């Protein structure tokens, strides 16, 4: 991992993100903001799936829990800075509860339990209209105003999103670098061995779900003021698949994989729009080809190419051990 | 690992390059169409788009609006509200004078805020009541909302069918819920008892329990508020189970698509239709023929919505004599376009202060596999 | 009958066989013994086409069958009874037995053989309609051996037949193998229960670290103190 | 009582078609440990092959059905196995799942692009008459759907149990290593499984489309229901998938009639969660030797 | 820990699967610093006994004490925190983590509290210890290599190193020599002996490789059909006729 210029590259990336909106239209600002929001959710799922090896198809429902909590609170006049932690905490707790099935079943079965949870969330959001507005959803959530920094226009909102994204990514970086990160990976690669080394795999499994879900909750808390309208369909199972796609296409288990994956899932269809009706087909075909030829995702592909030129480094290999379904 | 960040930066660069389309050409006017070309709303969206495009071609052939040619770019929302919001923004960024679409209410509710903020008039095909309830001065309907259409049926239930007990079958999404809520309110107002209130899932296929519940309830009539395919499935199941009560719908139930899909099961169904492609009105008959000639297929009422929306923009703009978005929006409020003077409207149409639309509408029935107009409801 | 010439092979990048050489004569029983990890089972897999063979040859009656697929080996008259449980759990005993001849074009002959085999293993006839998973471990092993006999093989490879069998069943299995040998079938067997196995065998073969260390008549090996030594620690000196 | 009978029979008819999709899913799971997230689209698509036969190639219905079946078996069986599953199996489960998700988008969008977004009327295979039984009205179509599905299941079971090929397929699914040493061509058996899955999906498609109408988005709910049915019944059992399909069909209708319509979709999901946590092998399944 | 308390004490351990009695009334003690070999023919119940001691299987009866404290029913992670390390018969490293990370992981759960580990140093302050352990097992050149890329024998060494990282008082080694080539085996044995001598850690070793067991262990217990049939120093066992019979059949 010791490569010269690593901080330089990271700095360049940040500068690029900071300069990205200069001279851009509102549309591009909106797309960039929504990329960062989804990237937060994907970064969370990457912890659950990529690092800890626990499949979850419920990420969108946690975005929903976060988004609805923040929407209801901010509409009631609670400041975003108070509403957001409430939403994140709620997601953390519900995520903890959803982790329990993972102690009993793994792989496909876990996928289906989380899938079912997501669909149940959708049904509740749609049917309990006294709380959630039902199919009409909730609208008109204010964007946060921090005295001198009002995020209502799109440009400040982009920077607001960028700040939240950078802070949450840095926190995640701290988590995966800490002994917890090592414990999550150990859970993915060999839970029995990990347990025999004193690792409480139950606790770490639950945490993997809870932290991943809390990130989705944060993404939801951003989604609410970004779109200023939420309805159950935005958090349906299909959206969870999109987040999963971001993680896997980008490179599950790589720190920047989901960020890149979110860019692909959100931005690539926009680039392909010129092909009109065919763009989703082209997109789907590209995903299939990527999975056939490079199952470890785009970052894996990048590493593989680099290893061609710089031999002697160990490949991460495929995901046989942990994130297997 | 930080290669990724660079890559990200490259992505941005490409994004920047992709948006060079804000080029302004003085001799064109941009009226983009943001609608559902794919996803669940593809049928409605495509018809809306094609109808609008037909009007654009006619107007351009006749010299455009105030001498400028209309450019209509298409933006596919995939029937996804979030995408639609982004695309309305994109359309506005490209320099839209006015926006056509979207058709699905769930999308319109989201994206109309964007158009409002930018001050761009928007002509939607949506019929959910809450769209015109938000004091948005830039939203205009191209067909009347459910809160106008459903009351038109109240008199029919009360005075013609003389029902005291009624059932409602509705699709549990924003479209269906809008109609359902207005319907409940209306029935309460006139004192008709709703004995069965049956929500169904979007895309539901097995309507046996729905029909069976309605049958058991003893309802004397059924109000059906579903999308086309579900209409057809419901009609088939109702026929199978021998449901005798008259089936009355709003807009979709007697559409040609439903008739085709339901086979014989649609026979005898009634519906109130704000705009009927089968209306015995020469202007509409001529439009239907034009549409078929242009696209080789029949349209539903969404084609008419798109068509008259573009014409309304043209007429109102010509009245104010310049391309001014704000002026266009204020001109539209309280405007009545008489079909004799403004033939592109197909029917005389007025807009009120909220952007709600009013015009003559029709009662239709399916007879011999065709939608037949059995009466007109005057504009309100 | 069967000859291995300097066979090297393994799974993926792990090499397990480092030069196995032996020739076994027709109508004989040969037992392969050796410590765990010596490559005994691996030799069988190599013969039967289930292993990456890196170099060397497998000859069957002089014919080169190196890297032949399992189906081809069956065609050459070789059957294989692997270690552990190898029945199809949800199929009946009868259908499990039939699978032993599933590749044969002559199904009438298979039917006839099934009757003959069931005469040898009367238990199978009694339980022909039971699911294989309902049999005890010993019964399953008998079923596997019976299944391997269905196509009148010339050579049977049998891996650890005695594991999980009670001593009297082990004697029965050994008796069956002796009977087969007397009918002209060649038997190659791996057995942990080395003493008993060598006692009923014609030849013994000692493998260690993927190489042939000793190959001699069974009674010679039994009498050789080095064999005991090998099993209880220490190496066999070359020569 | 007549209402109960009514919804019960309808539920059985719909459930029997779910079962066909669920069985195919089960077979593929057993043979290749593959979860096909495009299974719903596999049921959606063959109806369009038939429509192509009728409208573009001007075939009579019976010929179009055969045409549809053959194309389905080639495209959804052979090509799916060769082009997607086979190259990806060594990569482990997750990439394959993502690929089948992408495949479902591809099939959906492709259908829409080439056949339009509108639902298409689809010819009925059976007469549109109804029978009256104790106050309940049953259409002949429903009854025949049930009968045909059950016949297919029985035929499939007979094929798997009574023929040599069928037993080789079972052997391959239950213990591929042993099947191989017995000389079974396991690769071919796995291929057969994919072909049968495609054929079952096609038959389900033919039966369901007169009611569902042919539409590109039909697979979305169907696929999910098929999974749930397969899991509820037991992943590794044909009769389990059959029971699961019927159970879901009936329960869905009974819930909608007697309990709640808003939450009718929730019941199968709750059932799914309970089953997975309480009895992961399914109601009728036997626990697999393999680790899950 | 007084010299008189056994590190591990197993009493009347029995486990059956259905009608098969895999382990029947086995009792033994392991004293501090002792290297105990557990041998026996296939199916004699060694692995079952091991799993019962480690809490992976629930025995039908019997008691296990570690340093005088009963550990029956404890989870594997708790047992590890009480000072019991183990290695696995099958390869058991974390293949996509570096050797260093593998070793640090093995120690980190013994450092501080869970929350403390989140906010503390990324290596939990273990890099120096881990490097020492890596040097001890002569894996220096492989420190930053992914464990999955190591040879079979090297992975066995990493597995052993992990078992020692938390400074256990007892380590159970499950077939450490299986599949390891002769050179590596000699290395492994020599390292184990050295570790035992330096730290006084007790070992229990299951192993088929008799030479390895005989030269490593100070005492040997022979199991057959779930019972102890012999016990003693390696030389006694080597010449014990009962053992030879049990192993060679008869």
């Amino acid at each position: 991992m010791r490569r010269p210029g690593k901080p330089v590259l990271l700095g360049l990336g940040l500068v690029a993100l900071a300069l990205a909106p200069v001279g851009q239209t509102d549309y591009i600002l909106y797309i960039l903001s929504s990329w960062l929001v989804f990237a937060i959710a994907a970064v969370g799922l990457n912890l659950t799936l990529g690092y800890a090896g626990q499949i979850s198809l419920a990420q969108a429902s946690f975005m929903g829990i976060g988004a609805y909590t923040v929407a209801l609170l901010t509409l009631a006049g609670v400041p975003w800075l108070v509403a957001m932690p409430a939403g994140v905490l709620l997601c953390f707790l519900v995520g903890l509860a959803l982790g329990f099935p993972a102690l009993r079943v793994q792989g496909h079965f876990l996928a289906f339990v989380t899938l079912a949870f997501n669909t149940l969330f959708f049904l509740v959001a749609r049917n309990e209209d006294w709380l959630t507005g039902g199919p009409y959803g909730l609208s008109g959530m204010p964007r946060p105003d921090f005295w001198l920094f009002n995020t209502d226009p799109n440009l400040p909102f982009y920077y607001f999103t960028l700040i939240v994204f950078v802070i949450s990514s840095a926190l995640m970086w701290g988590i995966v670098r800490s002994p917890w990160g090592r414990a999550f990976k150990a859970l993915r690669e060999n839970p029995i061995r990990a347990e025999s080394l004193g690792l409480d795999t139950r606790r770490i499994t639950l945490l993997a779900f809870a932290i991943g879900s809390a990130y989705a909750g944060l993404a939801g808390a951003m989604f609410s003021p970004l779109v200023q309208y939420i309805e159950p369909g935005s958090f349906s199972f299909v959206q969870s698949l999109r987040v999963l796609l971001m993680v896997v296409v980008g490179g599950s288990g790589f720190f920047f994989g989901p960020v890149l994956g979110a860019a692909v899932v959100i931005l690539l269809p926009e680039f392909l729009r010129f092909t009109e009706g065919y763009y989703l087909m082209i997109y789907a075909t590209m995903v299939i080809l990527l999975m056939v030829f490079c199952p470890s995702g785009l970052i894996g592909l990048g590493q593989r190419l680099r290893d061609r030129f710089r031999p002697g480094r160990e490949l991460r290999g495929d995901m046989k051990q942990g994130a297997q379904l | 690992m930080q290669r990724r960040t660079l890559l990200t930066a490259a992505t941005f660069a490409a994004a920047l390059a992709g948006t060079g389309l804000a080029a302004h050409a003085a001799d064109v006017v941009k009226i983009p169409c943001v609608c559902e070309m794919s996803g669940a709303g593809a049928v409605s969206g495509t018809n809306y788009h094609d109808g609008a495009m037909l009007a654009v071609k006619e107007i351009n052939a006749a010299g455009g609006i105030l001498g400028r040619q209309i450019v209509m770019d298409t933006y596919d929302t995939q029937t996804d509200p979030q995408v639609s919001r982004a695309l309305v923004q994109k359309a506005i960024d490209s320099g839209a004078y006015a926006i056509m679409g979207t058709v699905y209410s769930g999308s319109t509710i989201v994206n109309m805020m964007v158009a409002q903020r930018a001050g761009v008039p928007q002509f939607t095909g949506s019929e959910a009541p809450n769209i015109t309830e938000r004091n948005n001065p830039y939203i205009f309907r191209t067909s009347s909302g459910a809160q106008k259409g459903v009351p038109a049926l109240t008199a029919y239930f009360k005075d013609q069918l003389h029902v005291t007990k009624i059932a409602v079958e509705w699709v549990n999404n924003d479209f269906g819920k809008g109609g359902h809520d207005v319907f409940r309110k209306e029935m309460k107002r006139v004192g008709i008892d709703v004995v069965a209130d049956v929500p169904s899932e979007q895309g539901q296929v097995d309507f046996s329990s729905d029909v069976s519940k309605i049958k058991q309830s003893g309802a004397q009539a059924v109000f059906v508020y579903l999308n086309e395919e579900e209409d057809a499935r419901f009609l088939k199941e109702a026929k199978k189970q021998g449901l005798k009560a008259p089936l009355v719908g709003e807009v979709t139930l007697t559409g040609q698509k439903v008739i085709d899909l339901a086979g014989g099961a649609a026979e005898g169904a009634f519906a109130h239709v704000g705009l009927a492609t089968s209306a015995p009105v020469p202007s509409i008959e001529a439009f239907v023929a034009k549409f078929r000639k242009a696209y080789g297929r029949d349209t539903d009422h969404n084609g008419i919505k798109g068509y008259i929306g573009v014409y309304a923009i043209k007429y109102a703009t010509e009245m104010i004599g310049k391309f001014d978005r704000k002026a266009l929006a204020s001109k539209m409020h309280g405007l009545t376009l008489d079909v004799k003077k403004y033939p592109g409207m197909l029917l005389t149409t007025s807009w009120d202060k909220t952007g709600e639309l009013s015009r003559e509408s029709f009662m239709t029935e399916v007879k011999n596999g065709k939608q037949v107009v059995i009466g007109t409801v005057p504009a309100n | 009958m069967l000859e291995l010439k300097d066979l090297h092979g393994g799974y993926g990048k792990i090499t397990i066989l480092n030069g196995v050489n032996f020739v076994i004569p027709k109508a004989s029983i040969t037992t392969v013994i050796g410590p765990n990890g010596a490559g005994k089972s691996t030799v069988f897999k190599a013969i039967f086409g289930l292993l990456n063979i890196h170099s060397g040859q497998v000859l069957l009656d002089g014919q080169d069958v190196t890297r032949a697929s399992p189906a081809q080996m069956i065609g050459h008259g070789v059957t294989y009874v692997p270690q552990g449980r190898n029945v199809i759990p949800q199929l009946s005993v009868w259908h499990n037995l039939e699978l032993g001849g599933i590749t044969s074009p002559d199904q009438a002959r298979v039917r006839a053989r099934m009757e003959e085999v069931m005469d040898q293993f009367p238990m199978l006839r009694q339980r022909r309609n039971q699911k294989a998973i309902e049999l005890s471990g010993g019964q399953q092993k008998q079923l596997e051996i019976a299944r391997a006999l269905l196509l009148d093989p010339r050579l049977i490879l049998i891996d650890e037949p005695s594991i999980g069998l009670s001593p009297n069943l082990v004697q029965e299995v050994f008796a069956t193998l002796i009977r087969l040998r007397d009918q002209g079938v060649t038997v190659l067997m791996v057995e942990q229960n080395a003493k008993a196995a060598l006692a009923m065998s014609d030849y013994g073969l000692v493998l260690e670290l993927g190489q042939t260390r000793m190959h001699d008549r069974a009674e010679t090996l039994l009498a050789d103190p080095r064999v005991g030594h090998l099993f209880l620690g220490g190496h066999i000196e070359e020569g | 009582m007549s209402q109960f009978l009514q919804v019960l029979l309808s539920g059985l008819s719909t459930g029997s078609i779910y079962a066909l999709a669920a069985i195919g899913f089960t077979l593929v799971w057993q043979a290749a440990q593959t979860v096909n997230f495009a299974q719903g689209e596999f049921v959606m698509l063959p109806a369009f092959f038939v429509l192509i036969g009728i409208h573009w190639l001007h075939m009579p219905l019976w010929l179009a059905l055969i045409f549809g079946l053959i194309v389905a078996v080639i495209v959804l069986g052979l090509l799916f196995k060769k082009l997607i599953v086979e190259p990806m199996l060594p990569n482990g489960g997750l990439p394959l799942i993502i690929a089948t998700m992408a495949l479902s988008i591809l099939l959906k969008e492709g259908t829409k692009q080439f056949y339009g977004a509108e639902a298409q009327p689809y010819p009925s295979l059976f007469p549109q008459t109804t029978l009256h039984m104790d106050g309940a009205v049953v259409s002949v179509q429903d009854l025949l759907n049930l009968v045909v599905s059950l016949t297919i299941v029985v035929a499939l079971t007979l094929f798997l149990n009574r023929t040599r090929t069928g037993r080789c397929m079972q052997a391959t699914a239950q213990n591929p290593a042993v099947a191989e040493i017995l000389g079974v061509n396991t690769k071919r058996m796995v291929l057969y499984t994919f072909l049968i899955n495609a054929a079952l999906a096609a038959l389900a498609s033919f039966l369901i489309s007169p009611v569902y109408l042919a539409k590109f988005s039909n697979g979305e709910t169907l696929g999910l229901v098929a999974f749930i049915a397969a899991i509820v019944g037991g992943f590794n059992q044909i009769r389990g998938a059959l029971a699961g399909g019927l159970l879901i069909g009936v329960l869905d209708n009974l819930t909608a009639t007697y309990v709640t319509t808003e939450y009718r979709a929730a019941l199968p999901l709750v059932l799914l969660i309970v089953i997975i946590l309480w009895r992961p092998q399914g109601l009728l399944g036997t626990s697999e030797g393999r680790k899950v | 820990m007084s010299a008189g308390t056994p590190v591990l004490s197993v009493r009347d351990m029995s486990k059956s699967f259905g009608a098969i009695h895999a382990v029947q009334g086995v009792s033994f003690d392991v004293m501090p610093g002792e290297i105990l070999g557990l041998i026996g023919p296939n199916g004699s119940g060694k692995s079952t006994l091991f799993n019962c001691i480690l809490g992976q299987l629930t025995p039908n009866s019997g008691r296990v004490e570690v340093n005088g404290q009963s550990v029956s029913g404890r989870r594997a992670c708790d047992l590890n925190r009480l000072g019991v390390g183990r290695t696995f018969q099958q390869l058991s490293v974390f293949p996509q983590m570096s050797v260093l990370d593998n070793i640090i992981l093995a120690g980190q759960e013994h450092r501080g509290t869970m929350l403390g580990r989140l906010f503390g140093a990324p290596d939990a302050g273990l890099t120096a210890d881990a490097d020492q352990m890596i040097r001890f097992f002569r894996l220096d050149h492989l420190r930053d290599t992914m464990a999955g890329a190591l040879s079979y024998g090297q992975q066995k060494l990493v597995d052993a190193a992990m078992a020692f990282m938390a400074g256990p008082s007892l380590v159970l080694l499950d077939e450490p020599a299986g599949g390891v080539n002769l050179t590596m085996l000699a290395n492994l044995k020599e390292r184990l002996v050295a570790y035992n001598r330096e730290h006084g850690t007790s070992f229990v070793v299951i192993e088929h490789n008799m030479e390895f067991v005989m030269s490593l262990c100070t005492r040997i217990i022979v199991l057959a059909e779930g019972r102890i049939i012999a016990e003693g120093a390696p030389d006694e066992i080597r010449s014990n006729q009962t053992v030879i019979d049990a192993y060679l059949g008869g």
Side-chain angles (χ1 to χ4, degrees), chain D residues 7 35 55 106 192 197 239 249:
Chain D
V7 294
V35 178
H55 295 149
L106 182 64
Y192 286 169
N197 174 45
R239 62 199 162 91

Side-chain angles (χ1 to χ4, degrees), chain D:
Chain D
M1 186 60 209
S2 70
Q3 186 184 22
F4 179 77
L5 199 62
Q6 179 79 54
V7 294
L8 182 72
L9 286 171
S10 293
L12 283 175
S13 164
T14 317
S16 67
I17 298 170
Y18 293 158
L20 289 183
I23 288 169
F25 175 65
T26 306
L27 288 177
V28 168
W29 161 254
Q30 282 187 55
Q33 307 282 293
T34 303
V35 178
N36 178 14
F37 270 75
Q39 185 79 357
E41 278 66 38
F42 277 34
V43 179
M44 173 276 292
L45 200 55
F48 283 92
F49 295 149
V50 173
L51 289 179
I52 288 172
I54 294 174
H55 295 149
W56 297 6
L57 306 175
H58 306 289
M59 293 175 172
L61 179 61
W62 64 269
L63 189 60
L65 288 172
I66 295 172
F67 169 77
L69 183 66
I70 292 171
V71 176
V73 166
I74 293 172
V75 174
L76 305 178
L78 187 67
L79 295 184
F80 175 57
K81 158 96 182 350
K82 292 280 176 199
L83 297 183
I84 296 188
V85 178
E86 214 159 78
M88 298 200 59
L89 272 181
N91 298 343
L94 189 60
L96 185 53
I97 282 192
I98 298 288
T100 58
M101 285 172 186
L103 180 66
S104 95
I105 298 178
L106 182 64
L107 295 180
K108 234 173 3 198
E109 293 299 316
T111 307
K112 197 184 73 195
Q113 201 58 33
F114 295 111
Y115 222 97
E118 301 188 16
Q120 305 286 330
Y122 184 86
S124 237
L125 306 180
F126 308 119
Q128 296 290 301
T129 47
T130 51
L131 300 172
H132 292 258
M133 298 165 62
D134 192 21
V137 189
V138 193
S139 69
V140 173
Q141 179 165 322
D142 280 357
L143 280 182
L144 287 178
N145 275 354
L146 184 59
V147 170
V148 171
S149 311
L150 291 179
T151 312
I152 292 169
V153 173
V154 169
L156 182 66
T157 315
L158 287 178
F159 167 74
L160 288 177
N161 288 330
R162 297 287 167 85
T163 66
R164 275 163 68 201
T165 313
R167 287 193 292 273
C168 284
M169 286 176 64
Q170 286 199 55
T172 306
Q174 291 175 28
N175 199 333
V178 172
E180 181 137 24
I181 61 153
L182 294 173
V184 173
N185 187 337
T186 47
K187 274 198 176 149
R188 186 181 300 161
M189 295 306 136
V190 172
L191 177 63
Y192 286 169
T193 313
F194 278 83
L195 299 185
I196 290 177
N197 174 45
L200 286 173
L203 292 168
S205 185
F206 301 160
L207 291 176
I208 212 162
S209 296
V211 189
Y212 273 45
L213 313 165
K215 190 175 178 192
F216 73 97
S217 59
N218 273 356
E220 288 165 10
T221 29
L222 251 174
L224 188 60
V225 175
F227 293 146
I228 297 178
I231 290 177
V232 167
F235 241 36
N236 50 7
Q237 291 277 321
I238 286 183
R239 62 199 162 91
L242 175 66
L246 295 178
L247 186 70
I248 298 283
V250 169
L251 273 183
D252 176 49
N253 269 353
L254 291 180
T255 318
T257 310
Y258 297 109
V259 189
T260 160
T261 18
E262 283 91 343
Y263 281 107
R264 68 189 292 178
L267 185 90
L269 298 170
V270 172
L271 191 67
L272 174 80
I273 293 178
V274 171
I275 293 276
I276 286 182
L277 294 182
W278 167 67
R279 217 185 129 78
Q281 72 271 37
L283 287 177
L284 296 181
T286 45
S287 62
E288 285 184 46
R290 303 190 181 98
K291 276 189 94 170
V292 289

Side-chain angles (χ1 to χ4, degrees), chain A residues 1 3 6 9-10 12-14 16-17 20 24-28 30-32 35 123 126-127 129 135-136 139-140 143 152 154 158 173 223 226-229 231 234 239 242 255-256 260 267 270-271 273 279-280 299 306 310, chain B residues 1-9 11-12 14-16 18-19 22 38 75-78 80-83 85-87 89-91 93 105-106 109-110 113 117 128-130 134 172-175 177-179 181 200-202:
Chain A
M1 287 283 125
R3 242 177 303 150
K6 188 167 151 183
L9 282 170
L10 189 62
L12 277 178
L14 277 175
L17 282 172
Q24 290 302 324
T25 58
D26 278 345
Y27 168 69
I28 297 294
Y30 178 83
I31 292 286
L32 290 176
W35 163 49
L123 288 173
R126 192 202 57 194
N127 290 334
D129 42 9
Y136 296 144
S139 63
R143 286 181 173 179
D152 197 41
N154 283 327
Y158 169 78
W173 179 243
F223 185 87
L226 169 68
V227 186
Q228 294 180 293
Y229 168 78
E231 43 101 32
S234 308
Q239 300 297 328
R242 274 181 88 199
F255 189 77
F256 287 100
L260 183 64
L267 303 179
E270 293 299 320
F271 287 131
R273 259 180 203 283
Y279 75 100
L280 279 176
I299 293 200
R306 200 182 53 217
R310 242 202 278 176
Chain B
M1 222 173 257
Q2 276 58 43
R3 289 287 152 90
R4 254 54 61 198
T5 334
L6 268 193
L7 230 164
T8 313
T11 316
F12 281 124
L16 310 189
T19 51
S38 62
Y75 298 88
D76 174 18
T77 69
Q78 303 162 41
D80 179 335
Q82 267 68 58
V83 175
R85 177 183 163 123
L87 290 177
Q89 187 68 64
K90 189 176 185 180
D93 290 350
S105 310
I109 281 277
V110 190
M113 293 186 289
R117 190 181 302 202
N130 53 359
R134 298 180 170 237
N172 198 348
N173 60 16
D174 53 335
F175 158 75
K177 187 140 175 68
D181 292 353
S200 68
E201 296 294 325
Q202 192 168 354

Side-chain angles (χ1 to χ4, degrees), chain A residues 91-114:
Chain A
C91 284
F92 185 87
L93 296 176
V94 179
L96 211 55
L98 190 70
F100 277 94
L103 302 179
R104 223 180 123 73
V105 292
Q106 285 281 308
H108 305 84
F109 292 119
L110 186 56
F112 284 115
V113 170
T114 54

Side-chain angles (χ1 to χ4, degrees), chain E residues 230-248:
Chain E
E231 187 176 346
D235 285 340
E236 295 165 37
I237 296 297
R238 216 190 281 266
S239 53
N240 184 324
Q241 193 54 45
T242 327
V243 178
I244 294 178
D245 285 348
Y247 251 17
L248 286 175

